Every structure is written in structure tokens, then in C-alpha cells.
Amino acid sequence: DRGVRHLAMGLRLGVPTDPSLFLELLISEADRCLLRHKGKEAVQRWQDVACLLGENCPDYVYQQLGVAYSQNKEGFGGTKEENHCWGDCHKHELLGLLHECLMPELYLEIGVDAGLSLARARGRAIGVDPRSDLVFKISFAESASIFSMSSDAFFRELATRSLRPRPELVFIDGMHLFEFALRDFLNVERFAAPTTLVVIDDIYPCHRTQALRRRRSGAWAGDIWKLHRILRETRPDLTLVALNAYTTGVLLIAGLDPDNQDLKRRYNQSVSQYLDIDDVPPEVLARHGAIPSDHPVVGQLVDILREGKEHGLSREQVRSRLSELKNKIAEAEVEFIGRAESMAVPFN
């Protein structure tokens, strides 16, 4: 593990080397773990390869990662406290309400897993997941299509012709690592309509163990909390609403602008700045900035997007109306600091 970290740091710093040798060794080790049915270890090794290859990672690696997950019968461990999750509204229920209110002509989902969130779509839907052996726990409409490929490959090869009309509701829940989610958001924004709403899962881990990049518990949010920080620092023009949802919080993002290149220009800098931060801040664990999922400001945000679509408002008009909402969002964030966990409800 320490060697992989040093290798990754060297590659980021541009130290002269041939990464193919190291990748060959890592892939051989990942394959060895699979052959010996050490699924838990194989998951980490294939994840290492995916992280090193980044947006150029072939789907074969993700497929092997899926095999490793299916082979991992022992789970990822962790104490009861480390696996405890909480919130005031289940994220799938929240997605269902957003579908009902926004009625998107096209819904895009990155990370399909068991299909529980994709099944909430009422109209045409596209799911993107590189694992070819997904086991769905629920059926979904015939209007739903699943692309068995990485999100990077999808946006590179198929998005231009597949995302028509532009997706109006997007759920990002793929790799639980911030640089992957950051690339997903960057790619989604290129195809965003004026009224597109993006929902990002896992911004509030409930325990430090859940926030580790190297998974050590069944409940795992990874370090997606870093993406929330990056967006606040880099894109103040966006409208961000963090919700106290179950299991590990969600972030609503509106006011997307395909012409804004700030995030893209700072991608490498942001990744370098946050990649080696291991400890999640206590204010993230306490969900500072999260507001109740049923807060009136959420309804006002959705109303702006729905009315913007109905009246054909321009991107500038929609963003102007959203900016008027930001003071109310800020007030709500302050009002509920320190109250998030006390407002949680029990879930089975």
C-alpha cells in the first residue's frame, strides 16, 4: 500500500519513469488475489490500478473490480459504530420526489449497482456502470438503458449522441473516490441544460472509517466529501444545497454552465491538493452545512427549475433566479449546524 502511494505521488509530480512496469506488477498481484479467492484484497488492488490509470482506465479493469466484489463473500468488516448510517430521508425516496416534481425527459445515472435508484425514473433513463455482472434487486421501465462501460468512456465515446435531449436530472454515485466524481461532474456539465439538477451521493460519511479511500467497512462513502469542498472553493457561481439524507448525505447542484472552464483548468491542482488528505474534518462528520431534506428552500429550488423548463428560460435567467435563493440557503445552513444527527429518523 505504501509503495502504491509513492508511485502515485511520483506520477503526479512527473518523476521520469515507465509506469507500465508498475502497472503490470499491480495487475499481476490483483489477478493473483482473484485466483486465490481473496476478494477483499483483490478489490483494493484493482482499485489501485483504476486510480493510477484515471480517465484512461480500460473497462476490463472495472469488470475485474466487479468480479472481485462478487468474490468477496466476507464483506469489508468494520464495527457496528463504523457501519452505522443516519439521515432524515432515504436518498431513493428523495430521488423519487425529484423525478415526480421535475419530470425529466432524460435522466442520467452514473453507477447503477442494484438498480434501486434507476428504478425511480419515470421517463427515459440512461444508466452507466462498467460492471457487466450487475444483479438487479428491482425491475425498471423499458425506457431505461444501461451502458456497461466506465463513465469516462461513455462521455468520450457515446454521450454526444446519447444525451439527447440534455439530461435534466443526473445522479452521480459511481466510484466513491472524489477525483472520479469530479470528472463525472465536469463531463455532465458539458451536456447540462439550463435547468439540469445534479445529485451527488456520499458527501457526508457517518464515521471516519467510512471516509477512507481504502475501504475498511461495509458502509463506505469514500472521500466524496472533498468534491463538495472543491466545488465551494472553485465554483461560487453554482447553487449548492447539501441535504441531511440517509445514508451518507446528498448534494444538489443547480445553475450549471457548460462554458465555465474554471473547474477543468484547476482539475489537476484540486486533485493534488486533496488526494493525500486522509482524515475527514469533524465538521463533515457532524454534517455542518446540511439542511433538512424537506426544507422549504429545496422546494423553491425545484420550483425554479421546473418553471424555467416550462417557460423556456435562458441559462442566464435561471441562474439569476437561483442566485436570489443563495441567501436563504446560507441562512438554513447556519440554522441547522449541530442539529443534523438529532433530526435523523430510524431506517431498517
Side-chain angles (χ1 to χ4, degrees):
D1 289 352
R2 196 159 54 245
V4 170
R5 289 189 66 147
H6 286 310
L7 170 60
M9 182 178 295
L11 292 174
R12 292 202 309 275
L13 294 173
V15 175
T17 184
D18 180 5
S20 61
L21 173 62
F22 299 99
L23 286 170
E24 183 179 343
L25 290 170
L26 283 172
I27 290 172
S28 296
E29 173 64 8
D31 277 329
R32 185 188 69 82
C33 291
L34 282 180
L35 289 172
R36 296 192 176 188
H37 299 284
K38 299 171 67 175
K40 180 179 177 180
E41 182 71 10
V43 166
Q44 187 57 65
R45 297 306 154 210
W46 285 115
Q47 180 180 298
D48 288 339
V49 175
C51 288
L52 287 170
L53 291 174
E55 61 184 305
N56 297 313
C57 181
D59 287 341
Y60 166 77
V61 172
Y62 292 109
Q63 290 163 5
Q64 292 298 91
L65 180 58
V67 172
Y69 268 105
S70 63
Q71 197 181 88
N72 179 27
K73 306 301 182 184
E74 62 177 311
F76 290 92
T79 65
K80 182 178 180 179
E81 181 183 18
E82 289 172 330
N83 283 298
H84 175 64
C85 293
W86 48 271
D88 61 9
C89 173
H90 199 291
K91 62 183 178 183
H92 292 149
E93 180 182 344
L94 178 63
L95 274 174
L97 291 171
L98 292 174
H99 277 287
E100 182 179 341
C101 294
L102 295 173
M103 296 298 291
E105 292 183 51
L106 176 61
Y107 166 67
L108 174 62
E109 179 171 298
I110 298 174
V112 177
D113 199 24
L116 297 176
S117 50
L118 190 64
R120 298 285 178 163
R122 301 187 172 200
R124 183 168 166 249
I126 290 177
V128 180
D129 197 303
R131 294 168 294 175
S132 57
D133 58 347
L134 295 175
V135 178
F136 302 119
K137 294 183 179 180
I138 193 171
S139 59
F140 25 81
E142 294 181 358
S143 56
S145 303
I146 298 179
F147 291 85
S148 296
M149 60 197 311
S150 70
S151 55
D152 287 307
F154 172 79
F155 283 109
R156 186 168 54 243
E157 301 169 12
L158 299 179
T160 300
R161 63 175 179 269
S162 298
L163 299 183
R164 296 181 179 177
R166 294 175 182 270
E168 295 167 320
L169 181 60
V170 180
F171 185 44
I172 297 178
D173 187 23
M175 291 279 283
H176 291 193
L177 302 173
F178 82 98
E179 70 270 30
F180 288 81
L182 177 55
R183 286 201 307 273
D184 286 336
F185 177 77
L186 277 166
N187 283 320
V188 164
E189 189 168 33
R190 292 193 293 121
F191 297 91
T195 56
T196 293
L197 178 66
V198 174
V199 183
I200 295 183
D201 196 16
D202 300 313
I203 63 164
Y204 286 124
C206 302
H207 191 280
R208 283 182 169 80
T209 302
Q210 296 177 20
L212 295 174
R213 287 179 65 85
R214 311 179 83 77
R215 188 171 182 177
R216 296 292 183 267
S217 58
W220 185 50
D223 60 351
I224 301 297
W225 65 268
K226 299 174 183 176
L227 175 58
H228 189 190
R229 290 285 181 93
I230 291 170
L231 292 176
R232 291 181 81 102
E233 294 167 359
T234 310
R235 293 291 303 279
D237 61 304
L238 295 171
T239 299
L240 307 178
V241 183
L243 300 182
N244 188 25
Y246 180 85
T247 51
T248 47
V250 300
L251 178 66
L252 306 183
I253 309 174
L256 280 70
D257 180 7
D259 295 327
N260 191 308
Q261 299 296 306
D262 293 345
L263 203 55
K264 182 178 180 180
R265 281 193 295 266
R266 291 188 58 182
Y267 174 82
N268 290 332
Q269 177 184 342
S270 296
V271 172
S272 296
Q273 177 183 351
Y274 279 95
L275 193 59
D276 294 321
I277 298 177
D278 291 323
D279 200 17
V280 57
E283 60 268 23
V284 173
L285 294 173
R287 299 195 179 184
H288 288 186
I291 67 174
S293 299
D294 61 352
H295 193 281
V297 76
V298 179
Q300 293 168 20
L301 171 69
V302 171
D303 286 343
I304 290 173
L305 299 179
R306 185 177 60 239
E307 293 169 7
K309 176 184 175 180
E310 291 174 354
H311 298 293
L313 298 184
S314 68
R315 192 176 304 277
E316 292 72 22
Q317 289 172 316
V318 172
R319 284 163 61 88
S320 176
R321 292 195 60 188
L322 288 170
S323 66
E324 297 171 0
L325 197 61
K326 288 187 176 182
N327 285 337
K328 293 183 180 180
I329 296 171
E331 291 171 0
E333 290 173 348
V334 172
E335 179 184 356
F336 289 96
I337 284 180
R339 299 171 57 186
E341 189 165 10
S342 65
M343 300 181 70
V345 298
F347 288 93
N348 294 326

